[in-house]
Amino acid sequence: MSLQGRLDAFKNDFESGNPPCNIPRAIIDAFHRSTVALIATGQAEWALRAGDVAPNFTLEGADRTLVSLSDLLAKGSAVLTFYRGAWCPYCNLELSALQEALPEIVARSASLVAISPQTAPNSRKSIRQHNLTFPMLNDPGNELAAKFGLRWKLSDEMIGVHKSLGVDLETFNGNNSWTLPMPARYIIDRDGVIAFSEINPDYTKRPDPSELLPTLDLLAGRRAA
């Protein structure tokens, strides 16, 4: 099943109001309002896209190792995925799909990293739960996400909704910004220019990892020429 097929199946279960989720309709409606409001801002259109130069970064991994974009690009192309956190089932389905696709990504001389505002212990939990073999980097306060144009602040209503579901982002992320990255995926070529971008303010919509491969093939072919 495609990644979007898995996401749609989960969404249908989540929004049904039936066990095991048992989510009240008022909370589902609040999520919908938040997504519509974020789309209406047009922020996704301002985010960095293919053709833009990616901001360089050095972030700490879940294992406390420092990882820089320049180090990644020294080995080939870099695939970045912005991950909201272990509390998000849609993000977790995406991580699992990317892990499945990792051999295809590596075969094209590219590396894959996830970037998340959550604390290192929570990232280690994500890595264990989903058997990830690629790094997860900590982006405190979504500062790197902001440089990509992806950071947005939750409304008071959505802060309350998250708390009612046991998702206290102050504790989870180790700061009180109550911000998240829009889900996004990038391929950055060795010259630091973004070669592929996909940003969606609707967190229930994610491209299949297979959509990365044509661009990675193109970049690998250029290097071999």
Side-chain angles (χ1 to χ4, degrees):
M1 184 185 294
S2 69
L3 171 57
Q4 192 58 54
R6 297 180 211 179
L7 295 171
D8 290 342
F10 174 82
K11 183 177 182 179
N12 289 337
D13 288 343
F14 183 80
E15 297 193 352
S16 70
N18 298 324
C21 296
N22 301 307
I23 302 298
R25 188 72 230 177
I27 288 181
I28 294 169
D29 289 343
F31 276 115
H32 288 176
R33 284 193 296 274
S34 178
T35 297
V36 169
L38 183 56
I39 292 170
T41 67
Q43 182 177 341
E45 303 305 315
W46 313 333
L48 295 186
R49 294 186 173 272
D52 293 327
V53 176
N56 199 7
F57 61 80
T58 299
L59 298 177
E60 189 173 75
D63 62 356
R64 306 298 186 187
T65 301
L66 293 178
V67 177
S68 71
L69 178 59
S70 57
D71 288 342
L72 295 174
L73 297 181
K75 297 177 282 188
S77 302
V79 177
L80 312 183
T81 185
F82 283 83
Y83 171 66
R84 304 196 308 167
W87 53 270
C88 174
Y90 297 94
C91 294
N92 291 329
L93 287 168
E94 180 181 17
L95 284 187
S96 294
L98 286 167
Q99 178 63 42
E100 292 170 9
L102 184 59
E104 296 278 7
I105 294 170
V106 172
R108 290 160 171 81
S109 300
S111 54
L112 168 66
V113 297
I115 298 169
S116 176
Q118 68 184 3
T119 61
N122 287 313
S123 288
R124 289 193 288 271
K125 179 180 177 181
S126 296
I127 290 168
R128 288 193 304 270
Q129 288 185 336
H130 303 288
N131 299 311
L132 304 181
T133 58
F134 56 88
M136 184 170 292
L137 309 181
N138 180 227
D139 181 21
N142 286 294
E143 293 297 329
L144 180 61
K147 292 179 181 178
F148 275 86
L150 304 173
R151 182 174 67 184
W152 64 283
K153 184 173 176 59
L154 276 70
S155 66
D156 289 343
E157 178 185 38
M158 289 311 298
I159 290 173
V161 165
H162 280 74
K163 286 182 175 179
S164 74
L165 295 173
V167 181
D168 185 342
L169 293 183
E170 289 191 34
T171 300
F172 211 87
N173 293 343
N175 66 69
N176 62 0
S177 70
W178 281 95
T179 61
L180 290 173
M182 283 186 287
R185 206 179 296 165
Y186 290 95
I187 297 174
I188 303 173
D189 197 5
R190 296 188 71 170
D191 60 3
V193 175
I194 298 170
F196 171 97
S197 60
E198 203 287 333
I199 306 104
N200 200 322
D202 183 347
Y203 61 91
T204 70
K205 305 294 184 185
R206 317 280 176 114
D208 201 78
S210 62
E211 294 184 27
L212 296 166
L213 302 183
T215 299
L216 291 175
D217 282 334
L218 178 62
L219 298 179
R222 286 178 184 171
R223 289 193 293 272

